[in-house]
Amino acid sequence: MTAMNIADSNAGSKANRLVLRPGDAGYDEELAGFQTGFAQRPAVIHAVSSAADVAAAVRYAAAEGLPVGVQATGHGLPGDAEGGVLITTKRMDKVTIDHEARTVRVEAGVRWGQVVAAAGPYGLAPLNGSAPGVGAVSYTLSGGLGILAREFGYAADHVRALDVVTADGRLRHVTPEVEAELYWALLGGGHNFGVVTGMEIGLVPVARLYGGSVSFDGREVGPGAVLRAYERWTRTVPDGLTSSFAAVPYPDVPAMPDRLRGRYVISVRVAYTGADGDQLVAPLREIGPVLADSLREMPYTDSHTIHSDPAFPHTYYGDSAVLCELNVDAAAGVLALTGPEAPVMCVVQINHLGGALAVSAPNSVPHREGRFLVRLLAMGDRDTAREVLDPAFGRLAPWAVGRALNFAFGAGDRTEGLYGDAETRKRLAGLKSEYDPANLFRHNYNITG
């Protein structure tokens, strides 16, 4: 079989999308994503370049009675389109800055690194995450916990408008005033309600920040000791300071840099726009012998160096727990389960929440009462990952208030805790029935599931 270019019109706009089926040249390449542990075989891929293309693909799927998924541009999972229609949006990559209004318009395939680079010359910044390769739209629909989150809140809290194709094939312009219920549902409910083709997001006036990480050798200092010191320190910092704790046992393999090879690295990452950053982080530098210290003033365009997340595709599974408080004994138990002796390499990250994240907004992003977020990733096959993740999260269960949709990385398809309390879930399910009664959009964590 060969790929086809299909042209049709939608409200006067010409659509020209690439359609691929199993066996076509380019089919497997189009499916490739950041998370290599997940594979599916859609009956047809619609590689779109415009909102009109998306609308045409949705109408085709509806007419054929096929489920629709969207291939995540960045780190997320593709929508569940096994045997159905998969829409890939990476060709929709336009970024438009309005520096006077302090806004950016992004198309569906834009990654955060593009936005940071485009906004930087105007002294502006988006509320992006730690990795420049993350897709801006998917990240924001799931809330968007960024590196300045305690100062400015979730990325979803700054969305001015969305353009979305719903199950009826209509392209809708949604704002807090126009179709307010759909606006509320999209921001927190993820891809359950349609295909977002574009988004207008507010930018913040940040040109520089104080940030970086201070790291310790976990075998020398002890991960529990760093964790206890970190938890005490978070009680003293201002709301404008955003930080996280991380524990990574790096493999002893030649591909690793010498400074990381075989080490169990415990780090505290910091991002702060205030002028007293050095004074605030001084207690961190006193925890023990420092392995590395990159804390410094930097242009916001260098903010990706704070976490230095891996940019290469790989296999991983993971989940998260939003906690009402961080019980350091339970969390130390999690570190023991996921450390160098674990049967599979694990990465632990603990985000300090609160501050602006606790402020309500007209969206469905849940768990604003949370004080910490624990994120666990396990490299390798799903079954081995679950052997580590299940008991680890079990230790945290007494303090868990839910899970974060941004960080549900395929360790299971359960929806418990992802969409807030019973009232919120009921409201979301009602809107799903209204806008997608046939359940055309098969999100991996479907609100009706």
Side-chain angles (χ1 to χ4, degrees):
M1 299 179 68
T2 57
M4 298 181 292
N5 284 301
I6 295 180
D8 63 271
S9 62
N10 179 37
S13 298
K14 189 167 184 177
N16 190 4
R17 65 197 187 281
L18 180 66
V19 176
L20 298 166
R21 301 180 186 278
D24 287 347
Y27 175 91
D28 291 329
E29 291 77 7
E30 194 69 20
L31 281 175
F34 188 80
Q35 291 180 262
T36 58
F38 301 88
Q40 59 178 316
R41 303 294 288 181
V44 58
I45 301 173
H46 288 246
V48 299
S49 300
S50 68
D53 289 355
V54 173
V58 170
R59 289 196 299 270
Y60 166 81
E64 297 294 323
L66 297 174
V68 176
V70 180
Q71 174 80 322
T73 304
H75 292 187
L77 301 177
D80 185 4
E82 184 70 34
V85 174
L86 183 68
I87 298 174
T88 60
T89 62
K90 60 186 175 183
R91 294 162 183 81
M92 298 178 65
D93 60 355
K94 186 176 181 181
V95 176
T96 306
I97 301 287
D98 184 338
H99 66 278
E100 293 182 350
R102 292 182 180 173
T103 62
V104 60
R105 175 175 168 74
V106 298
E107 289 189 328
V110 168
R111 301 174 189 237
W112 276 126
Q114 299 170 252
V115 185
V116 172
Y122 301 104
L124 300 171
L127 295 178
N128 57 288
S130 59
V134 168
V137 168
S138 290
Y139 162 97
T140 305
L141 294 180
S142 298
L145 181 66
I147 57 174
L148 295 177
R150 277 174 46 86
E151 182 174 2
F152 296 107
Y154 289 99
D157 300 344
H158 296 260
V159 173
R160 309 285 184 85
L162 308 98
D163 294 321
V164 57
V165 175
T166 46
D168 55 7
R170 286 179 54 193
L171 177 62
R172 302 168 188 257
H173 185 69
V174 179
T175 73
E177 296 77 34
V178 179
E179 299 205 65
E181 281 290 279
L182 182 55
Y183 173 92
W184 175 87
L186 285 166
L187 296 169
H191 296 280
N192 279 289
F193 303 93
V195 183
V196 172
T197 62
M199 186 180 290
E200 182 184 339
I201 313 171
L203 301 171
V204 295
V206 174
R208 301 186 63 81
L209 78 163
Y210 180 88
S213 67
V214 57
S215 302
F216 309 88
D217 187 323
R219 292 185 175 87
E220 181 178 359
V221 179
V226 180
L227 177 66
R228 292 175 191 279
Y230 172 69
E231 191 276 334
R232 288 194 302 269
W233 176 75
T234 61
R235 302 179 207 169
T236 69
V237 300
D239 283 350
L241 189 149
T242 305
S243 68
S244 63
F245 167 99
V248 184
Y250 288 95
D252 186 4
V253 296
M256 280 286 125
D258 288 342
R259 62 186 177 84
L260 298 176
R261 184 175 175 179
R263 288 188 181 272
Y264 186 28
V265 179
I266 311 299
S267 304
V268 176
R269 291 88 166 256
V270 173
Y272 179 56
T273 61
D276 56 343
D278 256 338
Q279 296 95 305
L280 289 173
V281 303
L284 298 177
R285 290 172 165 146
E286 297 172 357
I287 291 174
V290 172
L291 181 65
D293 186 341
S294 66
L295 290 163
R296 67 202 186 280
E297 290 280 340
M298 67 177 76
Y300 193 84
T301 49
D302 286 349
S303 61
H304 63 279
T305 64
I306 295 173
H307 289 243
S308 296
D309 293 322
F312 53 89
H314 55 289
T315 297
Y316 57 99
Y317 299 82
D319 210 337
S320 63
V322 181
L323 307 179
C324 60
E325 63 176 277
L326 183 63
N327 181 288
V328 291
D329 291 330
V334 170
L335 294 175
L337 289 170
T338 58
E341 305 307 315
V344 62
M345 177 183 171
C346 298
V347 175
V348 178
Q349 180 163 312
I350 302 175
N351 291 77
H352 184 205
L353 305 180
L357 293 166
V359 179
S360 61
N363 58 50
S364 55
V365 179
H367 312 314
R368 291 179 182 265
E369 74 278 22
R371 305 305 299 170
F372 289 90
L373 169 69
V374 177
R375 301 155 54 181
L376 304 181
L377 293 181
M379 315 301 165
D381 68 86
R382 189 191 303 262
D383 291 340
T384 306
R386 290 249 55 102
E387 290 176 9
V388 179
L389 297 182
D390 287 348
F393 282 114
R395 290 178 179 253
L396 301 172
W399 300 275
V401 298
R403 300 158 64 212
L405 188 58
N406 272 131
F407 307 111
F409 292 127
D413 58 1
R414 61 189 178 90
T415 61
E416 295 91 339
L418 291 177
Y419 298 112
D421 58 23
E423 182 179 348
T424 299
R425 294 194 302 272
K426 182 179 178 181
R427 185 176 170 188
L428 286 168
L431 290 165
K432 173 72 170 177
S433 297
E434 177 182 348
Y435 284 97
D436 184 16
N439 194 23
L440 193 68
F441 301 111
R442 304 288 177 84
H443 191 278
N444 288 286
Y445 300 96
N446 200 300
I447 191 62
T448 60

